[in-house]
Amino acid sequence: MNTVLKASAVLLALVLGASDAVAQTPVKIGVLSDMSGPYSDFSGPGSLEAAKLAIEDFNAGSKKLSVELVSGDAQNKTDIAGAIARRWIDAESVDMIIDIPTSGIALGLAGLVKDRNKVLIATTAGTSELTGKSCTPNTLHWTWDTWSNSHGTAEAIVRNGGKRWYFLTADYTFGTTMEKEAGDVVKANGGAVLGSVRHPLAAMDFSSFLMQAQASKAEIIGLANGGTDTINAIKTAGEFGIVAGGQKLVGLVLFINDIHALGLKAANGLMLTTAYYWDLNDKTRTFAERFAKRNNGKVPSMSQAGTYSATLAYLRAVEKVGHAKDGAAVVAAMRDAGTFDDPLFGRTAVRVDGRVVHDMYLVEVKKPEESKKPFDYYKVVATIPADRAFRPLADGNCPLAQ
């Protein structure tokens, strides 16, 4: 009898175990990023690691989902990104695509994801059009955008006397949008835009572009570009003696990785707007320490922090909905969650246009002698509250908000 009971218990355990395994809901996430190009340092492999950390943290508290993660290198080309996304969605059952390296790619994929009823979460691409005329029920814009950064930085600079601007602009959607939005802020606050010059993505030589900016006699040269383009422009400007000559460089989108690459000697005094800084509080510091151990000692950029937070919030919404197949329903669940306490961004909410809102920070890069530890780079000048940090809902012309 004991033998029979033991056998029955073993069989029951096996059956229950099998039931648990079957009960797990499959979810597949694709990190589509710049894995080796000009934006790879602040997104790329680090964003992939951030997504892994989010999945691990979610699984630590829930066993209801079976989460698979894949990654792809978009190479900052819309055709390559589109091909990867279509293969993922149509042949490999990917439910959500995250990171997205450039604005053009994000805008191109938004329609595809809507048509397939999946989810797109942009944590690196900047264009505010994602939550404007191009908004969809399936797209979320996490972390930052061109509006938040152009307004936060440009407004502060103009109010401190930087009235005459000239723009050095990356010649694609992100750069041109950033230039327009920052220029509007400059003019609205009594300043003037003297002109602009555009350069290709991953430009090899900034000499001619900076000579034009220098010749403009503008007080402020606004850098409407990102990644290695921003770094190389700042380095070349130093070689030309532009800052020594009295003109000031303003990076409209700078990541902590850019400051690290430049060094505090070259970057000190720069002002910028950021959604995340690793040394803000105990939660941001704890995450940064975990992340750095798996990312060659580097702390997370705001985009990488956004990938972590967005992945975690997405998985919680899938768990609530019960499956990942209806992307619009999952996004609606994220929106309906109301204001929540995000571990890295604090009080956070998802608007109907897909804009994720939270506080932003205006920071100034420290002088070398002010830095007391690795990556101790920023002084927080001001906290920009969530209701002022992003474009007002009524101004975006998102059809979902009308």
Side-chain angles (χ1 to χ4, degrees):
M1 180 65 71
N2 286 338
T3 302
V4 172
L5 289 173
K6 288 179 180 178
S8 298
V10 171
L11 180 61
L12 179 61
L14 290 172
V15 170
L16 289 175
S19 298
D20 287 343
V22 171
Q24 281 192 315
T25 301
V27 183
K28 197 167 185 178
I29 296 171
V31 176
L32 184 59
S33 191
D34 175 2
M35 292 296 182
S36 56
Y39 303 149
S40 59
D41 198 26
F42 58 74
S43 57
S47 285
L48 179 61
E49 208 59 56
K52 289 178 182 177
L53 283 167
I55 293 168
E56 290 170 14
D57 289 352
F58 176 81
N59 285 338
S62 174
K63 304 298 180 184
K64 294 183 179 180
L65 306 183
S66 174
V67 186
E68 184 180 351
L69 185 67
V70 295
S71 65
D73 186 353
Q75 300 178 43
N76 299 319
K77 297 179 179 178
T78 55
D79 56 341
I80 292 175
I84 293 172
R86 288 186 183 86
R87 185 184 77 243
W88 278 356
I89 293 172
D90 295 339
E92 300 179 19
S93 301
V94 167
D95 300 296
M96 187 268 278
I97 301 176
I98 194 166
D99 191 314
I100 323 300
T102 72
S103 296
I105 290 173
L107 292 170
L109 294 186
L112 171 69
V113 169
K114 179 187 177 184
D115 290 343
R116 305 296 200 277
N117 197 20
K118 301 300 181 182
V119 177
L120 179 74
I121 305 181
T123 59
T124 296
T127 179
S128 58
E129 279 304 300
L130 279 175
T131 55
K133 295 178 181 179
S134 299
C135 71
T136 83
N138 300 74
T139 299
L140 294 176
H141 204 174
W142 219 274
T143 318
W144 68 283
D145 61 27
T146 51
W147 196 98
S148 68
N149 281 48
S150 61
H151 280 66
T153 305
E155 185 173 330
I157 298 296
V158 175
R159 288 184 176 181
N160 279 284
K163 298 286 190 179
R164 292 157 55 85
W165 286 59
Y166 188 94
F167 287 98
L168 179 64
T169 303
D171 194 12
Y172 69 103
T173 305
F174 152 70
T176 54
T177 303
M178 178 68 77
E179 177 190 324
K180 180 184 183 306
E181 291 180 339
D184 289 345
V185 173
V186 169
K187 289 179 279 190
N189 285 275
V193 177
L194 305 185
S196 67
V197 62
R198 296 180 179 178
H199 67 80
L201 177 65
M204 299 302 294
D205 184 0
F206 281 87
S207 300
S208 63
F209 307 121
L210 284 165
M211 286 177 66
Q212 294 180 60
Q214 188 176 36
S216 73
K217 305 297 183 182
E219 298 164 329
I220 305 295
I221 299 174
L223 304 177
N225 50 19
T228 55
D229 284 335
T230 302
I231 293 169
N232 291 334
I234 292 172
K235 288 180 177 178
T236 305
E239 295 168 2
F240 275 48
I242 288 178
V243 176
Q247 291 174 296
K248 185 170 184 177
L249 300 176
V250 172
L252 296 173
V253 182
L254 279 167
F255 295 82
I256 197 165
N257 316 71
D258 303 326
I259 306 304
H260 184 69
L262 285 165
L264 294 183
K265 185 177 180 180
N268 78 86
L270 282 170
M271 295 184 73
L272 59 113
T273 303
T274 186
Y276 166 88
Y277 178 44
W278 73 272
D279 204 17
L280 277 176
N281 55 53
D282 289 342
K283 288 183 179 180
T284 57
R285 281 188 285 271
T286 299
F287 175 73
E289 290 170 5
R290 292 176 59 206
F291 180 89
K293 289 178 181 177
R294 296 164 59 159
N295 192 48
N296 301 315
K298 296 180 180 179
V299 298
S301 70
M302 63 173 171
S303 287
Q304 291 159 347
T307 297
Y308 170 87
S309 293
T311 301
L312 194 59
Y314 169 79
L315 291 173
R316 288 171 177 164
V318 171
E319 183 179 51
K320 182 178 180 180
V321 172
H323 60 84
K325 300 308 174 188
D326 185 345
V330 175
V331 169
M334 297 173 78
R335 183 175 63 245
D336 294 344
T339 302
F340 59 94
D341 187 20
D342 184 89
L344 303 184
F345 296 92
R347 301 281 287 174
T348 300
V350 180
R351 294 194 321 204
V352 66
D353 59 351
R355 180 64 259 172
V356 179
V357 297
H358 44 71
D359 291 348
M360 298 284 286
Y361 304 94
L362 181 67
V363 302
E364 183 178 347
V365 179
K366 291 182 175 182
K367 297 175 182 177
E369 61 270 21
E370 293 174 321
S371 179
K372 305 303 181 185
K373 54 189 174 182
F375 294 96
D376 177 21
Y377 293 160
Y378 293 162
K379 292 182 289 187
V380 177
V381 176
T383 298
I384 307 171
D387 61 349
R388 286 183 44 230
F390 296 94
R391 181 179 58 202
L393 181 64
D395 295 346
N397 296 315
C398 168
L400 301 175
Q402 295 175 1

